[in-house]
Amino acid sequence: MLIAIWAQAEDGLIGRKGHLPWRLPADLQFFKQQTLGNTLVMGRKTFEGMGGRPLPGRRTILLTHDISYRVDHPDVLVMHTPEEVRQLAEQLDQPVFIAGGAQIYQLFEPYYDLLLRTVIEGDFAGDAYFPPFDFTSYELVEQTDGIVDEKNKYPHHFEKWIRK
């Protein structure tokens, strides 16, 4: 099962210079709850934007065109094509989460079974946007408002979309 998971501003913004354009601990906690113990797929820029190390408790598949790119970590696999990732996903008895960046989300668009999107209200500066996406093949089955407090200053909500 392939699952896209991302947070975006209302205008589709997802990144700024390789990092998130906002600080929203509730979304980071949601991401952790969903992905812990599973496999994440991300591009090289996203991986390097996280400090070039995998998140604890998850296997990371780093997707890159650079066939000489190496990561010396037992929890990181380097792959070079979406087909390699899809073949591995079919073999695993667990979900595989596509975690960015924009080009990686777009590569897997035809194959998602589930979408987990956090939408954050506010104006943010950035340089990376979620690619154009056709939601008509999906049904919104759950939407939960996030709590705004001193640590989570932006109104936000979590959405779950299932392929029809």
Side-chain angles (χ1 to χ4, degrees), residues 16 18 30-31 34 41 53-54 62 84 90 102 104 106 118 120 125 132 145-146 154:
R16 186 173 105 200
F30 176 78
F31 182 89
Q34 298 299 314
V41 177
R53 61 187 189 283
L62 193 149
E84 286 179 277
E90 289 173 8
I104 304 301
Q106 194 165 30
T118 304
I120 303 162
D145 289 334
Y154 307 106

Side-chain angles (χ1 to χ4, degrees), residues 92-109:
L92 294 175
D93 190 25
Q94 64 176 195
V96 173
F97 289 85
I98 308 300
Q103 292 175 343
I104 304 301
Y105 288 122
Q106 194 165 30
L107 281 174
F108 290 95
E109 181 181 354

Side-chain angles (χ1 to χ4, degrees), residues 37 45 124:
K45 290 182 217 172
F124 305 97

Side-chain angles (χ1 to χ4, degrees), residues 72-132:
D72 186 25
H73 195 286
D75 291 332
V76 179
L77 295 170
V78 177
M79 294 188 175
H80 306 289
T81 67
E83 291 75 27
E84 286 179 277
V85 174
R86 289 180 43 234
Q87 287 174 0
L88 178 66
E90 289 173 8
Q91 296 170 5
L92 294 175
D93 190 25
Q94 64 176 195
V96 173
F97 289 85
I98 308 300
Q103 292 175 343
I104 304 301
Y105 288 122
Q106 194 165 30
L107 281 174
F108 290 95
E109 181 181 354
Y111 310 108
Y112 294 129
D113 300 296
L114 181 67
L115 311 173
L116 298 174
R117 175 171 76 162
T118 304
V119 179
I120 303 162
E121 296 177 32
D123 292 321
F124 305 97
D127 54 14
Y129 290 82
F130 196 81

Side-chain angles (χ1 to χ4, degrees), residues 6-7 24-31 116-119 140 142-147 152 156-161:
W6 78 98
L24 192 65
D27 179 59
L28 297 177
Q29 184 62 34
F30 176 78
F31 182 89
L116 298 174
R117 175 171 76 162
T118 304
V119 179
L140 179 62
E142 188 177 318
Q143 181 172 317
T144 307
D145 289 334
I147 296 171
N152 298 281
H156 59 285
H157 64 269
F158 305 97
E159 299 175 350
K160 180 179 183 178
W161 297 77

Side-chain angles (χ1 to χ4, degrees), residues 47-48 50-55 60 73 76:
F47 182 74
E48 290 176 355
M50 295 177 4
R53 61 187 189 283
L55 294 172
T60 299
H73 195 286
V76 179

